[in-house]
Amino acid sequence: MGDFLLSVTSYLTGIRLPYFTWSDIVEILLIAFFVYEFMLWIRNTRAYSLLKGILIVLAFIFIAFLLKMNTILWLVTNMAGYAITAVLIIFQPELRKALEELGHKKIVSSIIPFDSGNKEEDGYFSDKTINEIVRASFEMGAVKTGALIVIEEETILNEYARTGIYLDSLVSSQLLINIFEHNTPLHDGAIVIRGDRIVAATCYLPLSDNMALNKNLGTRHRAGVGISEVSDSFTIIVSEETGNVSVAKQGKLDVALTKDELKERLKKEQNATPENAKRKKIIWKGWGKNEKKSDE
């Protein structure tokens, strides 16, 4: 027993732990953070199924290596470069979405101040705008008038606003109802709201290709989810078939909200840290000015 303890002690004393510096610890934490975020991203996208397929292929290659199947290993070695290119092409939509989500992380904006100036303290929009949107949404739902209302937050939506008709109008329930009224010139498409004003109407939005969405949902709901997948916007959808009021945020759709629930969700979005007001005002006015010049 004494010899065993002596040998264990001798072995342990011979172990030399690596020397760690603060930079090494920070590096390990950063790698762990990015690996964790990568795993969460993979789990919540279509890439998860593709990743399982890639793991099966890698397991097959490992078995070929153990069994010394030289022909298969030669093929794998010569096709490795093409395989990497193919993976990048296959995962292109998911990689783009991951980079967009990384840009939306508040940790990035806190480390790298992309915007200058002071932040607003009143939120993205006023209480009056919330009340007008809620009133209009449920009045349209009561008569089954379809509507698609996109509320802009950090991500500037000029790319989609340009597909519609420039308005620059104060948000009011009467105007919202009139825009989406059947057989009116502006009822088709979505409206984009920035702050307390309607930027544009009849805007075209990207459709979501999320296969998990209910098959009974129409184009309006898929467009609402689609814009929430490519931006941090908050979208309100009023169903023309059922009159239900739903919301889409970060690719998730919540169906058939009550008036109080919608108001609570809007309050939550209002209290989020907003974009620099002055910067957004300059971008907005510049865009509107260019649109008017192009119309002339």
Side-chain angles (χ1 to χ4, degrees):
M1 185 65 178
D3 293 338
F4 174 74
L5 293 176
L6 183 63
S7 61
V8 170
T9 304
S10 176
Y11 175 77
L12 293 177
T13 53
I15 296 176
R16 294 290 183 268
L17 295 176
Y19 176 73
F20 283 99
T21 62
W22 281 109
S23 61
D24 296 326
I25 296 174
V26 172
E27 187 175 6
I28 292 171
L29 292 175
L30 285 175
I31 292 173
F33 171 77
F34 283 113
V35 169
Y36 175 74
E37 289 292 329
F38 177 77
M39 292 172 65
L40 287 181
W41 165 67
I42 285 289
R43 185 65 183 85
N44 296 323
T45 63
R46 296 178 304 167
Y48 184 63
S49 299
L50 297 175
L51 180 63
K52 289 192 292 185
I54 292 175
L55 290 176
I56 292 174
V57 172
L58 291 177
F60 177 74
I61 294 172
F62 180 71
I63 293 173
F65 174 77
L66 292 178
L67 299 179
K68 297 182 180 180
M69 299 178 178
N70 296 326
T71 303
I72 294 177
L73 294 176
W74 180 84
L75 289 172
V76 170
T77 303
N78 287 275
M79 294 176 62
Y82 301 103
I84 293 174
T85 304
V87 168
L88 291 176
I89 294 173
I90 293 172
F91 283 91
Q92 186 270 336
E94 283 76 17
L95 290 173
R96 179 177 177 178
K97 183 178 179 182
L99 291 175
E100 289 175 348
E101 290 179 354
L102 183 62
H104 293 155
K105 294 288 185 182
K106 294 188 181 298
I107 185 173
V108 176
S109 60
S110 62
I111 296 174
I112 306 175
F114 291 104
D115 307 305
S116 59
N118 297 324
K119 299 290 184 180
E120 286 182 63
E121 295 181 356
D122 297 332
Y124 288 107
F125 38 81
S126 65
D127 290 340
K128 183 177 185 298
T129 296
I130 292 178
N131 294 330
E132 297 294 327
I133 292 174
V134 172
R135 183 183 301 115
S137 298
F138 282 90
E139 286 187 12
M140 288 186 288
V143 294
K144 295 186 177 180
T145 298
L148 188 54
I149 303 171
V150 181
I151 302 175
E152 182 184 275
E153 294 189 6
E154 292 284 346
T155 306
I156 304 296
L157 299 177
N158 283 348
E159 175 186 353
Y160 304 102
R162 286 192 180 96
T163 64
I165 297 175
Y166 180 70
L167 293 181
D168 187 17
S169 305
L170 193 66
V171 175
S172 68
S173 59
Q174 295 88 347
L175 179 57
L176 292 173
I177 293 171
N178 188 66
I179 287 175
F180 291 109
E181 186 65 34
H182 294 290
N183 301 321
T184 57
L186 302 180
H187 84 281
D188 195 18
I191 67 168
V192 175
I193 293 178
R194 177 179 298 151
D196 295 323
R197 306 188 73 83
I198 301 173
V199 179
T202 69
C203 301
Y204 293 98
L205 305 179
L207 298 180
S208 173
D209 57 358
N210 185 357
M211 302 302 294
L213 290 176
N214 193 320
K215 304 300 181 184
N216 295 325
L217 297 177
T219 305
R220 185 177 286 109
H221 288 80
R222 289 196 170 273
V225 176
I227 189 65
S228 72
E229 290 175 341
V230 299
S231 70
D232 61 348
S233 61
F234 182 81
T235 307
I236 301 172
I237 309 109
V238 181
S239 173
E240 191 172 354
E241 288 75 23
T242 64
N244 288 334
V245 177
S246 307
V247 297
K249 177 72 175 180
Q250 296 179 345
K252 297 180 181 179
L253 181 68
D254 295 324
V255 183
L257 271 68
T258 64
K259 186 178 292 187
D260 291 336
E261 288 173 339
L262 178 59
K263 193 170 185 177
E264 183 180 350
R265 291 290 298 271
L266 285 169
K267 280 283 188 182
K268 182 179 178 181
E269 299 300 321
Q270 179 195 35
N271 295 329
T273 304
E275 186 87 7
N276 179 273
K278 184 177 179 181
R279 174 177 175 271
K280 297 188 81 172
K281 187 176 181 181
I282 292 173
I283 293 174
W284 185 0
K285 286 188 174 181
W287 175 73
K289 186 176 180 181
N290 292 334
E291 288 295 308
K292 289 178 181 178
K293 284 183 178 180
S294 64
D295 292 340
E296 294 174 357

